[in-house]
Amino acid sequence: MSQLQKGASWYNNLIDHAKEAAARAVAAGKSYRCLAVPLRLGVNDAGAGTTRAAYAAAMVQLQADISADILAGINPILTAGGFSAQTAPVHMLFNQSGSGATIAAYGEIVLAQYDACNANPARIHFVGPTHHLQTTADTLHETNVSQLRMGRRYGRAGKQLLVDGNKPDCIWPISAFTRGATLRVKFRAPKFPLILNTALLGTFTDMGFKVTDDTGTLALTSFAISTSGDEVVITLDRTVTTNPVVRYGCDYKSSISTFGTSAGGPITDSTRNTTTISGVTYSEPHLAPQFDMKIIALQAQA
C-alpha cells in the first residue's frame, strides 16, 4: 500500500494520466470526467507486516487523496478549455487480494480491505474477492483468463456506478446473532437465495467460517441457508461466551484453489451472469467478501 500512497511514483503516474486525458479531451473539443478508479490490490502487504488498522486507514486516505488530486489536476485544464469543472468525487472500485505470505497474514489484509469499505461505503466499492480465480504455476499471480474475468467484474461494477448511477451490486454481511447454539449470519445481496456454492468454488473446512469467543474456537456442526434466503444458519457445539466473533473466508483454503496461501468460502448469490472466454463459459455470480463480525448473543426463548 505504501507504493500507492500520495507522493509515490505510481500515485503520481495516476494523477498525470488523468491530467493528460483531460488535456487530450479538451484538445479534441470535448469535456472530460474521471468518476472512478479501479484498484487491483495485490499481496505485498501480507508479507511486509502491515497491520490491519494501518492498511485500512491508508486505503481510506488513498481514495480521498486520489479524488482531491485528480480534481485539482483536471479542473484547471477543463475550465481553461471552456468546459465546466468536475465537482463529483472520484470513487474507488477494489477487489480483496488473492494470496499472502501466510494464510494468517493474508487474513489480516483482506479484513483491512473490508474495514476500508465499511469506513467509507459511499466512495469505496467492493467488486469481489479473488480467491476463486486460477493462478499460473507460481501459485501467486492470476492467469490471463482469470485477469480478464476479474476485469469484466470491474466492468459490471463500473457500469452500475457510472452509467446507472447506482452503488455497485455486491453481497455484504449485515448482522450475526446467536440464540442458544444457533448462529444466523445475515447478508444483503443482489439476488437471493444465497448459495453455499461448493460446486462452483470447491469445498472448505466449515464452509469458510470460524467462530471464536474468550473460551476458544467453537466447533461448527451444520450449515444451511434460511428459508428467506438471506441468512447462513450455523449450528454450534455450545452457546457462545464473552466477545464472540464470526470470521468468514480468512482461515481455510478451497479444495480447488491454486493459490499457494489463500483462504475463502463458498457463498454466492443467485445472479446468473456468465462470461465466455475462448469458447469457455464461466459462471459469474456475486461472491461474499471475506469478513469478521461481532456476534450478538440473544436470550434463548422460553
Side-chain angles (χ1 to χ4, degrees), residues 34-58:
C34 180
L35 298 175
V37 170
L39 188 65
R40 287 293 327 260
L41 294 170
V43 302
N44 284 354
D45 285 280
T50 307
T51 66
R52 176 177 177 177
Y55 188 106

Side-chain angles (χ1 to χ4, degrees), residues 38-107:
L39 188 65
R40 287 293 327 260
L41 294 170
V43 302
N44 284 354
D45 285 280
T50 307
T51 66
R52 176 177 177 177
Y55 188 106
M59 187 170 163
V60 171
Q61 187 61 50
L62 178 61
Q63 184 278 325
D65 288 340
I66 286 174
S67 186
D69 289 344
I70 284 180
L71 294 186
I74 69 174
N75 280 341
I77 298 169
L78 293 172
T79 55
F83 296 98
S84 61
Q86 177 176 328
T87 57
V90 181
H91 295 249
M92 177 187 288
L93 303 172
F94 81 98
N95 65 273
Q96 285 177 304
S97 301
S99 188
T102 64
I103 287 182
Y106 166 75

